[in-house]
């Protein structure tokens, strides 16, 4: 059965100047052997926005994140990260560009042999910053994810939720311009998931970082689209109905290697496409 | 239920083999080129040298002693028959330094470390730690492969010397305790028989074997696919391939050195 399609405009023409967008995908296709994972995918992530990427398992969501950072090369199409075309850059050039982005992997991908402090400070230690500076930043960022007490632990001593929070701390320590989250709440209990979502909202609203978030949980996307972070109470609070459209949050839905929806919460809820209706019900 | 057999075309098999050789060649050449590019991870190199060198010392000591002793034991009866028991030091010395020392040490270190490297790097691949490293701006080839190659080559060189020496000690123990050979007779024979070609051959081989062990271990680790089952497969393939390559390369290095420096 072919996918129902919604009119998705070319990202290069959708906005006046998409080159300023942190992430732009232009007609990107990739296949692994005979399996076509992405087929002519085009979208852009506006500056300051968080875009939630949905789709069934194996629809190519994680592949999009790896392509965005140049960890995978597409078969065709162009990808821009922070204004640079990653598809035409060498691995050595990409190392410098990736320093301006952060990623949280699905299973956290913390280095087993290093302590939390060394994991979080990995990038700073590679840049040979002073011990005092490293220590100060690590404590600051661990306090952001409320895990200061784990600084001397090794990853095997942490729970799944704690590992995910340490991975977030590692991704944000250098204040990246764009963040990529790969199923940050996958496999976690509802309470821990909520803590992670709150951290992502906090990063979005406090530091205004652009983000692309892969998730299976629609509920996470809806929470992020209807809540904001209150600096006074240090908590995520629900916004009044009239103000929810101001949240810099959009949704992107993948099906059979193609994007079948790209829009905000209101447009998603109003969609009459049977597949989308079934997906969000 | 009908049994379905999936046939792989010879063209696909050949294509995969060529790709594997190409990928291995790239990884191996990069691991060497990285010694001339910044940054050099000295801390990781020292850590690997400790793990590979010091960690392998017990098996190298035991295997060296045993091989030397066995060599003396097995050859003594033949030599005794021809009244040449005094030549036992010469035989052990030449065999250990040119052939058995490098070969046995290489195979022992391969079994211990090629498998260790493949399983460690393979686990890092399946848990996305290698991707995380790349995303954090670090070249895994520089951080993980080059220190392992450098440390294995360096440490195998010295481990082989230790193995040679202990092989001679093992041979002496058998010759002296079981066959009553005088210590001066044994050691002077063992020492005087060695010429430049023997020592050169015995020291070139561990350098090449060390490179084979580390590059093959890292290659299989870095090309791991398919979760924990894939890690197990990579580990086995790394040990088998590096061991077979050591034996094959040993033959050709010996032949090449004989061709260049002359036969006995």
């Amino acid at each position: 059965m072919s996918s129902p399609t919604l009119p998705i405009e070319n990202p290069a023409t959708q906005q006046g100047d998409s080159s300023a967008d942190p992430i732009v995908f232009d007609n990107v296709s990739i296949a692994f052997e005979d399996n076509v994972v992405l087929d002519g995918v085009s979208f852009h992530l506006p500056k300051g926005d968080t875009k939630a990427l949905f789709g069934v398992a194996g629809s190519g969501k994680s592949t999009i994140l790896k392509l965005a950072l140049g960890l995978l090369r597409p078969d065709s199409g162009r990808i821009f990260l922070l204004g640079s075309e990653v598809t035409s850059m060498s691995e050595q050039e990409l190392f410098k560009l990736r320093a301006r982005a952060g990623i949280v992997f699905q299973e956290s991908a913390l280095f087993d042999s290093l302590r939390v402090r060394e994991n979080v400070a990995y990038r700073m230690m590679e840049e040979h910053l002073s011990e005092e500076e490293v220590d100060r930043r690590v404590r600051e960022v661990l306090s952001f994810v409320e895990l200061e007490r784990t600084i001397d632990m090794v990853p095997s001593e942490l729970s799944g939720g704690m590992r995910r929070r340490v991975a977030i701390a590692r991704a944000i320590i250098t204040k990246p311009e764009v963040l990529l989250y790969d199923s940050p709440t996958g496999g976690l209990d509802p309470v821990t998931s909520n803590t992670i979502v709150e951290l992502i909202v906090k990063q979005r609203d406090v530091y205004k970082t652009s983000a692309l978030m892969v998730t299976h949980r629609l509920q996470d996307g809806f929470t992020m689209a209807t809540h904001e972070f209150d600096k006074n109470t240090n908590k995520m609070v629900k916004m009044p109905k009239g103000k929810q459209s101001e949240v810099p949050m959009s949704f992107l839905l993948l099906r059979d290697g193609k994007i079948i929806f790209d829009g905000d919460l209101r447009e998603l809820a109003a969609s009459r496409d049977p597949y989308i209706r079934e997906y969000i019900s | 239920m009908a049994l379905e057999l999936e046939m792989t075309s010879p063209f696909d098999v050949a294509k995969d083999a060529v790709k594997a050789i190409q990928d291995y060649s790239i990884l191996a050449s990069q691991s060497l080129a990285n010694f001339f590019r910044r940054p050099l991870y000295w801390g990781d190199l020292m850590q690997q040298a400790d793990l590979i060198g010091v960690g392998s010392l017990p098996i190298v000591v035991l295997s060296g002693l045993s091989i030397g002793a066995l060599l003396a034991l097995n050859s003594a009866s033949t030599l005794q028959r021809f009244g040449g028991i005094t030549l036992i030091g010469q035989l052990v010395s030449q065999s250990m330094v040119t052939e058995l020392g490098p070969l046995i040490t290489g195979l022992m270190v391969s079994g211990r470390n090629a498998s260790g490297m493949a399983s460690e790097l393979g686990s890092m691949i399946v848990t996305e730690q290698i991707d995380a490293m790349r995303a954090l701006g670090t070249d895994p080839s520089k951080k993980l492969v080059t220190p392992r190659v450098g440390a294995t080559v360096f440490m195998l060189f010295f481990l082989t010397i230790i193995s040679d020496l202990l092989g001679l000690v093992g041979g002496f123990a058998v010759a002296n305790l079981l066959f009553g050979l005088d210590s001066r007779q044994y050691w002077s024979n063992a020492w005087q028989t060695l010429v430049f070609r023997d020592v050169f051959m015995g020291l070139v081989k561990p350098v090449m074997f060390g490179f084979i062990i580390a590059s093959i271990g890292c290659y299989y680790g870095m090309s791991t696919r398919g979760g924990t089952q894939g890690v197990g497969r990579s580990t086995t393939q790394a040990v088998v391939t590096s061991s077979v390559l050591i034996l094959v390369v040993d033959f050709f290095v010996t032949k090449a050195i004989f061709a260049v420096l002359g036969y006995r």
Side-chain angles (χ1 to χ4, degrees):
Chain A
M1 196 180 87
S2 64
S3 321
T5 51
L6 291 182
I8 305 292
E9 291 175 53
N10 187 324
T13 56
Q14 204 167 19
Q15 279 202 340
D17 178 20
S18 64
S19 62
D21 292 333
I23 295 174
V24 178
F25 271 56
D26 181 13
N27 204 21
V28 173
S29 299
I30 187 170
F32 296 110
E33 295 180 355
D34 295 333
N35 179 28
V36 178
V37 178
L38 298 177
D39 183 12
V41 166
S42 297
F43 73 91
H44 67 105
L45 172 73
K47 195 169 183 183
D49 259 31
T50 293
K51 197 180 274 290
L53 198 51
F54 293 107
V56 294
S59 58
K61 304 184 296 295
S62 299
T63 304
I64 285 183
L65 297 192
K66 289 188 177 175
L67 284 166
L69 272 186
L71 298 173
L72 286 175
R73 300 267 179 188
D75 296 332
S76 63
R78 297 187 307 161
I79 299 164
F80 295 87
L81 175 68
L82 300 164
S84 302
E85 190 183 343
V86 296
T87 32
S88 64
M89 293 170 82
S90 70
E91 183 76 1
Q92 294 301 320
E93 290 168 327
L94 282 168
F95 286 136
K96 287 177 195 147
L97 180 64
R98 288 178 194 142
R100 295 166 60 197
I103 183 167
V104 177
F105 285 92
Q106 200 165 6
E107 298 298 331
S108 307
L110 298 178
F111 302 121
D112 301 330
S113 54
L114 303 181
R115 294 185 180 278
V116 166
R117 179 190 186 277
E118 293 153 343
N119 259 293
V120 173
Y122 187 85
R123 197 174 264 172
M124 303 182 86
M125 284 158 70
E126 285 286 294
E127 288 166 7
H128 302 290
L129 297 182
S130 69
E131 281 291 308
E132 295 77 30
E133 174 69 5
V134 169
D135 208 56
R136 186 184 64 77
R137 287 288 298 140
V138 169
R139 288 187 186 282
E140 190 179 306
V141 84
L142 281 178
S143 130
F144 182 85
V145 297
E146 297 173 9
L147 279 179
E148 259 186 301
R149 66 187 185 283
T150 64
I151 193 162
D152 289 319
M153 290 183 176
V154 287
S156 58
E157 293 175 293
L158 305 175
S159 69
M162 287 161 105
R163 275 203 289 270
R164 221 60 69 87
R165 280 148 73 192
V166 171
I168 292 175
R170 182 173 71 179
I172 64 175
I173 192 163
T174 49
K175 299 184 176 138
E177 293 164 60
V178 62
L179 270 166
L180 309 171
Y181 301 97
D182 191 355
S183 305
T185 57
L188 300 177
D189 61 86
V191 177
T192 314
S193 295
N194 205 44
T195 311
I196 302 287
V197 169
E198 193 170 52
L199 278 174
I200 296 169
V201 170
K202 188 175 174 184
Q203 184 68 22
R204 179 192 72 190
D205 295 345
V206 176
Y207 295 105
K208 313 287 182 204
T209 313
S210 313
L212 194 57
M213 183 179 85
V214 163
T215 181
H216 290 288
R217 289 164 46 101
L218 268 171
Q219 188 195 341
D220 291 346
F222 290 159
T223 306
M224 290 172 68
T226 53
H227 289 68
E228 66 175 346
F229 194 80
D230 184 353
K231 284 187 216 169
N232 298 323
T233 57
N234 202 30
K235 282 206 180 319
M236 184 170 70
V237 291
K238 190 162 185 171
M239 295 175 79
K241 276 246 159 104
K243 282 190 77 184
Q244 283 175 3
S245 59
E246 293 170 19
V247 176
M249 179 81 200
S250 58
F251 298 84
L252 199 137
L253 190 55
L254 277 171
R255 188 187 182 193
D256 296 335
K258 292 181 187 296
I259 291 174
I260 59 165
F261 177 84
D262 188 0
D264 62 20
L265 180 62
R266 189 178 47 79
E267 290 167 322
L268 184 67
S271 173
R272 293 187 176 280
D273 182 275
Y275 180 81
I276 296 172
R277 293 235 57 86
E278 190 188 340
Y279 194 91
I280 63 174
S281 61
Chain B
M1 195 176 78
L3 181 69
E4 284 181 39
L5 286 174
E6 198 177 319
M7 297 291 287
T8 312
S9 81
F11 179 72
D12 286 342
V13 173
K15 203 167 77 175
D16 289 346
V18 170
K19 191 177 180 311
I21 292 169
Q22 178 189 302
D23 290 347
Y24 169 73
S25 305
I26 292 170
L27 179 136
S29 55
Q30 266 183 354
S31 72
L32 293 178
N34 287 339
F35 282 108
F36 306 99
R37 294 182 192 140
R38 283 178 171 273
L40 257 178
Y41 292 92
W42 286 107
D44 293 270
L45 200 141
M46 297 307 283
Q47 192 188 22
Q48 289 303 320
D50 181 43
L51 280 169
I52 295 161
V54 181
S56 303
L57 205 53
I59 56 166
V60 168
V61 166
L62 286 172
S63 60
L65 271 171
S66 308
I67 293 294
L70 281 167
L71 199 61
L73 196 60
N74 278 298
S75 51
S77 59
T78 314
L79 290 170
Q80 222 169 12
R81 210 179 307 158
F82 298 103
I85 192 74
T86 51
L87 298 175
I88 204 163
Q90 191 176 330
L91 192 139
V92 172
S93 167
Q94 257 180 27
S95 304
M96 280 308 294
V97 171
T98 61
E99 206 55 66
L100 289 176
L103 193 64
I104 296 297
T105 312
L107 292 175
M108 287 288 162
V109 172
S110 164
R112 184 179 181 273
N113 295 300
S115 57
M117 287 174 206
S119 63
E120 187 185 359
L121 300 187
S123 302
M124 288 181 79
I125 287 274
V126 298
T127 55
E128 294 184 311
Q129 288 179 55
I130 301 284
D131 276 342
M133 195 171 271
R134 290 171 68 208
L136 289 163
T138 300
D139 185 349
S141 164
K142 283 184 188 165
K143 172 90 175 162
L144 301 172
V145 180
T146 298
R148 280 165 175 76
V149 169
T152 311
V153 168
F154 186 77
M155 296 313 284
L156 195 66
F157 182 83
F158 291 103
L159 286 172
T160 301
I161 293 172
I162 292 169
S163 174
D164 291 347
L165 193 66
L166 286 163
L168 284 168
V169 170
F172 169 69
V174 169
N176 185 255
L177 298 174
L178 299 184
F179 298 95
L181 194 71
D182 179 54
S183 81
R184 211 173 61 182
Q185 218 169 9
Y186 177 89
W187 287 110
S188 63
N189 243 326
W191 173 254
Q192 280 167 7
T193 190
L194 293 176
V195 292
F196 169 75
R197 187 204 41 226
D198 300 330
V199 179
F200 179 73
M201 192 187 286
L203 296 180
V204 162
K205 285 179 180 178
V207 172
M208 303 187 102
F209 296 168
F211 182 73
I212 289 170
I213 292 166
S215 58
I216 291 287
C218 290
Y219 167 72
Y220 278 108
M222 297 293 264
S223 54
T224 299
R225 298 286 176 274
T228 47
Q229 204 179 19
V231 176
R233 204 166 37 236
S234 292
T235 307
T236 312
Q237 284 174 328
V239 177
V240 171
T241 310
S242 61
S243 302
V244 171
L245 261 181
I246 283 173
L247 291 166
V248 172
V249 167
D250 185 35
F251 173 81
F252 286 106
V253 170
T254 307
K255 189 85 181 76
I257 291 176
F258 277 151
V260 175
L261 298 177
Y263 288 86
R264 274 188 177 275

